[in-house]
Amino acid sequence: MYRFAKAAVNISSQAVRQVRNGSTMPQDFHAKYGTGLMVSGGIFCTAVWAYVLTQTGITWNVSPVGRLQPKPWREAEEEE
């Protein structure tokens, strides 16, 4: 357990040093790529759903109200 704790502290201290020095990724990543990623993600999502809704032939759970009629009631036969 001691070795595991020592290794965990070592890894976390290395991560802290990288974050402080800014060596993990450029600081302007979101400014550089954020808008493009959001737009391309939105276009991709819209295209996939357009394909699913129009081309796959999935029968969705549409409400049967007004289209289904109840079966006529049958009286239970009384046995004597």
Side-chain angles (χ1 to χ4, degrees):
M1 190 67 175
Y2 174 73
R3 289 182 182 170
F4 175 75
K6 188 176 176 182
V9 169
N10 189 24
I11 290 172
S12 64
S13 65
Q14 287 177 0
V16 168
R17 272 187 256 123
Q18 285 180 348
V19 169
R20 282 186 186 158
N21 294 335
S23 62
T24 55
M25 64 167 30
Q27 298 297 324
D28 60 342
F29 177 82
H30 295 289
K32 192 173 182 182
Y33 301 111
T35 305
L37 284 174
M38 289 292 289
V39 170
S40 63
I43 291 170
F44 176 77
C45 183
T46 303
V48 168
W49 274 108
Y51 175 79
V52 167
L53 293 173
T54 60
Q55 302 296 319
T56 58
I58 294 176
T59 303
W60 301 95
N61 291 330
V62 184
S63 174
V65 174
R67 288 189 283 136
L68 295 179
Q69 299 297 323
K71 293 179 181 177
W73 179 260
R74 288 188 303 186
E75 293 293 330
E77 296 177 15
E78 293 181 21
E79 296 182 21
E80 294 180 26

